[in-house]
Amino acid sequence: MSWQQYVDEHLMCEIEGIRLTAAAIIGQDGTVWAQSSSFPQFKSEEISAIMNDFAEPGSLAPTGLFLGGTKYMVIQGEPGAVIRGKKGSGGITIKKTTQALIIGIYDEPMNPGQCNMIAERLGDYLIDQGL
């Protein structure tokens, strides 16, 4: 399966009639493996800051998480494994795998739990595959 198929079929899939706003699989070095057409253009510094938070959990909390210039307030996650952010009625879930970051961005009517489930389920699968 291509990386784009993972994004199209597993991240941007419809659940209960709704889907993520945007999604991507990005290498830990910031290279895009695959992304939805709606995924924001991001800066390499933003990915560096995210990777730093996985290494030093809590480092993004004071400043917020930025992706594509959008600021998310960091909320509970799993240190070293998952970062979750909130912005208004939407938010972001980032799951770290062995080699990549699985990123899901959502807005209402999707809720945080649905976004977490989509991004983290694919991340867990890729970890099981050694990716």
Side-chain angles (χ1 to χ4, degrees):
M1 184 179 287
S2 74
W3 291 115
Q4 193 60 51
Q5 281 179 291
Y6 280 113
V7 170
D8 297 342
E9 297 172 15
H10 297 280
L11 294 175
M12 294 302 290
C13 62
E14 204 169 277
I15 292 185
E16 298 170 24
I18 54 176
R19 67 181 68 212
L20 292 172
T21 308
I25 301 172
I26 298 174
Q28 292 183 7
D29 60 358
T31 57
V32 175
W33 293 9
Q35 64 184 14
S36 64
S37 58
S38 53
F39 198 77
Q41 196 64 36
F42 60 87
K43 297 184 177 93
S44 60
E45 310 84 79
E46 293 172 330
I47 300 301
S48 296
I50 290 166
M51 286 305 299
N52 186 55
D53 192 80
F54 281 118
E56 299 172 31
S59 65
L60 284 177
T63 58
L65 168 111
F66 286 86
L67 189 71
T70 300
K71 181 179 180 178
Y72 297 89
M73 179 179 70
V74 178
I75 55 176
Q76 97 292 350
E78 297 167 26
V82 180
I83 299 171
R84 299 183 184 111
K86 187 98 176 95
K87 177 179 176 34
S89 61
I92 188 168
T93 300
I94 305 171
K95 170 75 176 181
K96 180 178 176 267
T97 72
T98 312
Q99 300 175 22
L101 300 174
I102 311 302
I103 303 174
I105 299 173
Y106 71 95
D107 220 326
E108 284 187 331
M110 183 170 275
N111 65 49
Q114 291 167 314
C115 179
N116 296 344
M117 184 184 70
I118 293 167
E120 293 175 36
R121 185 176 55 198
L122 179 59
D124 289 339
Y125 169 78
L126 294 176
I127 290 168
D128 289 344
Q129 302 304 306
L131 300 167

